[in-house]
Amino acid sequence: MHVLSLSLDAAIAERGSEPWQRQREYAEEFDRYYVVTKTDSDTATGHTDGPLTVAPTASRTRYHYLLDAYRLGARYCKREDVDVVTVQDPFAVGLVGWLLSRRFDLALHTQVHTDFLDNPAWVGESLEHRVFDRLGRFVVPRSDAVRVGTEYERRKMAAFVPADVPVDVVPVSMDFDSVVTADSTVRSEYGLGERPVVLFVGRFVAAKDLGTWVDVAARVRERSDRDPVFVLVGDGPRRDAVESAVEDAGLGDDVVFTGWVDPETVGEYYACADVFLITSNYEGTSRVVVEAGMNGLPVVATPFAGAHDNVADGETGFVKSSVTGLADRVTWLLERSDERERFGTAARDALEERFDRERLRVAYVESVRATVER
C-alpha cells in the first residue's frame, strides 16, 4: 500500500527528531509512505529512508504551503500509484487532501488532534478560526475514515460523519524518556525549600485561560496552611497579562515565572512538583497532562477533551469546572501526601498503557489500511 501524508509539522523534515521517528515507524508497515510537510526555508532537504520519503515544501508562508503541498502531492499521486491520502488536520491541510483525493480517486483519511472543530471558544477567537471551522465542517463529512485523539472528540465527530464512516481513537504516541526523571535542581535553583509546588507547563495563550489559573492559585493560598508556591513554566503573548493578574491577586511572592525552558530539562520541573494544575478552555490530548501523569503527578484540570480521557476523576486527579471546585481539589491534594502518591501511581500506570508506543503504531496503521479496504 502507498500512503501520502500531508502535514504542517516542520520537525518531520529533521531526520532523527521524535516526529520523524514516528513517521519512520509508520512507514515500516507500508510499501511506500510519502510525507509532504511544511518547512519555512529551503535549508531542509528531502530524503528517503527505507519506505519513508520526506518532502519539505520550503514554503514562504503557511498559505503558500497549501499550493506547494498540492503540487508536490499531485506529483506523488501521478508517479507512485498512491492508494490513500492522510491529512494531519481537517482544515486547510484537509482541503488539500480532499482535492487530491477527488482528483486521483483516492481514499481520504482525516486526522483530528485538537478540540477546535465546532468549538465556540476557538471559533470566536478570530475570523481565521471561523474560516477554518467551515473548512473542517466541509472536509470531515467527506472523509472515508477519521482518526481522533480522544473519546470526547470521537463523540463529537458523530455529528459530522455518516454512520458508516469509522472514527478511530488513536492518540499520538510520545517519547517520555526526556521528561520523566527523579532528579531535579529546580527547588534549589529557585529557593523553594520544602514548600509544596503547584505546577503549570505550557504556552501563555488565550486557550490556556491562565486568568482562571491565577484565580485558583489565590484560593488555594487562602485555604492551605502549607505555604504553597505556584510555578509557571513557559511563555507567550499573554505573559504580561498573567503577571498583572498575579500582582492584582497579591500573589507576587508566591509565584515563579521560569520563562521558556529547554525541553530536555522540563522533566526536572515535573519532578519537583506536587500537583499539576491546568485550566484550559479547550485542548486535544494535551501533552503536558500526559507528561505530568507519567511523572507521577496528580492532575487537576478543567473539563477539556484531553482531561476527559487522560485524567480519571477521583482516581488519578480531578476534573472540575469552577474555580471553587478546582481550588478545593488542589488544596485537598496538597494536604494529603499519601493520596498524592496513590493518584500519581495510578496516573502513571494508566497512561503507560494508553500511550504504549507499539499499540498506538499498530492502531494507526490499521486505521489507515481500513480506509482503503472499506
Side-chain angles (χ1 to χ4, degrees):
M1 182 179 293
H2 290 196
V3 179
L4 172 65
S5 175
L6 305 180
S7 174
L8 288 170
D9 189 351
I12 293 174
E14 301 171 12
R15 190 191 296 264
S17 68
E18 181 184 349
W20 179 89
Q21 183 61 42
R22 188 163 53 240
Q23 301 302 310
R24 183 68 176 81
E25 292 172 2
Y26 295 157
E28 286 294 332
E29 301 301 319
F30 299 100
D31 298 311
R32 297 296 305 168
Y33 195 87
Y34 307 97
V35 182
V36 175
T37 190
K38 179 184 179 298
T39 54
D40 298 327
S41 71
D42 56 8
T43 57
T45 58
H47 58 270
T48 296
D49 192 305
L52 173 66
T53 295
V54 176
T57 61
S59 303
R60 284 184 292 167
T61 68
R62 58 180 172 173
Y63 300 107
H64 286 91
Y65 164 80
L66 303 179
L67 295 175
D68 296 336
Y70 183 83
R71 185 184 71 255
L72 280 172
R75 184 182 306 169
Y76 284 115
C77 290
K78 288 177 181 177
R79 296 179 180 176
E80 306 296 342
D81 194 24
V82 169
D83 299 291
V84 56
V85 56
T86 179
V87 294
Q88 295 190 11
D89 77 55
F91 307 116
V93 177
L95 180 62
V96 174
W98 178 79
L99 290 170
L100 290 171
S101 72
R102 297 288 77 80
R103 177 179 173 184
F104 295 100
D105 193 25
L106 307 175
L108 177 61
H109 179 261
T110 298
Q111 303 183 43
V112 181
H113 296 294
T114 58
D115 184 27
F116 291 166
L117 187 63
D118 194 34
N119 184 320
W122 181 75
V123 173
E125 286 180 0
S126 69
L127 175 60
E128 182 181 67
H129 289 182
R130 291 194 287 276
V131 172
F132 280 4
D133 186 64
R134 291 296 184 93
L135 287 175
R137 289 169 179 269
F138 176 85
V139 170
V140 169
R142 291 164 174 79
S143 304
D144 296 293
V146 178
R147 172 203 184 180
V148 297
T150 67
E151 283 289 341
Y152 181 92
E153 292 161 313
R154 183 188 64 77
R155 292 191 295 271
K156 180 186 282 191
M157 289 304 107
F160 294 96
V161 300
D164 63 338
V165 172
V167 180
D168 302 315
V169 180
V170 187
V172 174
S173 63
M174 304 179 195
D175 180 7
F176 299 111
D177 290 344
S178 65
V179 297
V180 177
T181 179
D183 300 322
S184 176
T185 61
V186 170
R187 285 187 174 275
S188 59
E189 180 179 350
Y190 291 97
L192 305 182
E194 298 301 316
R195 299 174 70 184
V197 172
V198 179
L199 180 69
F200 167 81
V201 177
R203 297 181 64 222
F204 288 35
V205 293
K208 303 296 184 180
D209 192 11
L210 289 171
T212 293
W213 199 96
V214 173
D215 290 343
V216 174
R219 294 282 187 94
V220 172
R221 189 193 61 174
E222 291 174 0
R223 298 178 183 189
S224 176
D225 59 4
R226 296 203 58 221
D227 192 26
V229 61
F230 305 91
V231 177
L232 295 109
V233 177
D235 212 329
R238 301 285 295 173
R239 170 73 177 263
D240 289 345
V242 178
E243 289 182 344
S244 295
V246 166
E247 291 302 319
D248 291 344
L251 288 171
D253 294 334
D254 300 309
V255 174
V256 173
F257 290 92
T258 71
W260 291 118
V261 302
D262 187 331
E264 295 297 317
T265 64
V266 72
E268 294 191 27
Y269 293 85
Y270 292 118
C272 86
D274 296 277
V275 177
F276 189 84
L277 171 65
I278 184 167
T279 56
S280 296
N281 288 325
Y282 57 84
E283 291 207 26
T285 297
S286 182
R287 184 183 184 101
V288 294
V289 165
V290 179
E291 289 178 349
M294 290 295 289
N295 275 278
L297 280 180
V299 173
V300 179
T302 44
F304 55 83
H308 283 295
D309 273 38
N310 298 316
V311 182
D313 190 31
E315 298 177 16
T316 67
F318 295 100
V319 180
K320 301 297 176 184
S321 300
S322 68
V323 169
T324 298
L326 292 162
D328 283 347
R329 295 302 88 194
V330 172
T331 303
W332 186 87
L333 285 165
L334 290 179
E335 294 173 351
R336 294 167 174 82
S337 60
D338 56 338
E339 293 296 329
R340 291 200 305 273
E341 182 176 355
R342 182 173 69 84
F343 276 50
T345 299
R348 186 185 299 112
D349 291 345
L351 293 170
E352 282 180 348
E353 179 178 354
R354 176 172 171 76
F355 287 89
D356 178 77
R357 194 175 187 91
E358 177 63 14
R359 184 185 72 81
L360 293 179
R361 182 187 65 81
V362 170
Y364 171 76
V365 170
E366 290 179 349
S367 180
V368 174
R369 286 191 179 279
T371 308
V372 178
E373 295 167 357
R374 288 185 65 234

